[in-house]
Amino acid sequence: MSLIEFKHDFFAGIDVGQVNDWTAISVIERIRAVPRPDVHRTVVEEARQEARATPTRLDLVHLQRIPLGTYYPKQVEIIANLLQQPILSGVTSYMDITGVGRGPFDMLKAAKVRNLHGVMITGSRGEAKQQPYGWSVGKAELVNRVQIEMQTGRLGFAQELELADTLERELMEFRVQINSHGNQEFKAREGQNDDLVLSVSYAVFGALRPIPVHSMDMRFVA
């Protein structure tokens, strides 16, 4: 009998567009090994070691753009309906609230969408910081992490996934630019979009957060 089993968790990323920009939604399924709860106490440590040695997978299972011109109340309805589907039970969502996203974020909160976190994008290159609304994090860290996870093969998606080709183009179009203050900025080339990349980056960011410990396994041996 195997000492481990696989736990499946879902993470959504939402990038809210302005009037002439798409709102993009992505969903990542994180598949990670955990010790089986019924393993005998004599092999608990072995099960833990096997779980730690088994790579975690991040599978991009959904990409979506809300049609241009859709008013925010309708966008909120579309997003809420997606996040509340039974197949995504327990999904944790990360939504950009740097600009126009704050209004839809508050509307989703009012609609009782659970496990919703705001993401405030900053120019910082340091560690992400937890805030009352969610997280503040640098754009470079977000996009770099997507690229790293894809290069290592941990983040993957099927080519038949709708908008997969568009996502790949967006990733290739991203550039590092130096702004007027001498700081680096990650952005798409002029005239190009970055909504899919950013939505995926929020979902990846969430999937890579440390796993909270809600209980401690204590075993007493006579």
Side-chain angles (χ1 to χ4, degrees), residues 140-219:
E141 178 183 342
L142 288 168
V143 178
N144 272 333
R145 180 50 58 185
V146 173
Q147 294 173 332
I148 290 171
E149 295 300 311
M150 289 190 69
Q151 289 167 3
T152 60
R154 183 154 73 157
L155 171 61
F157 55 92
Q159 288 300 315
E160 60 267 23
L161 184 68
E162 188 175 359
L163 298 175
D165 291 342
T166 308
L167 172 61
E168 288 185 333
R169 285 197 299 272
E170 285 192 11
L171 283 165
M172 290 188 293
E173 292 294 340
F174 250 84
R175 299 288 186 273
V176 179
Q177 301 179 19
I178 306 299
N179 63 21
S180 59
H181 300 289
N183 298 321
Q184 289 185 334
E185 290 184 341
F186 263 89
K187 59 174 62 177
R189 290 198 309 183
E190 187 174 353
Q192 302 298 318
N193 297 303
D194 60 6
D195 51 289
L196 293 174
V197 171
L198 292 177
S199 71
V200 171
S201 76
Y202 308 145
V204 169
F205 173 80
L208 296 179
R209 295 299 89 206
I211 309 297
V213 177
H214 299 294
S215 62
M216 183 174 294
D217 181 19
M218 299 183 67
R219 299 170 187 261

Side-chain angles (χ1 to χ4, degrees), residues 124 126-138 141 205 209:
S124 171
E127 292 291 323
K129 296 181 180 178
Q130 194 161 11
Q131 307 288 356
Y133 54 78
W135 296 85
S136 61
V137 57
E141 178 183 342
F205 173 80
R209 295 299 89 206

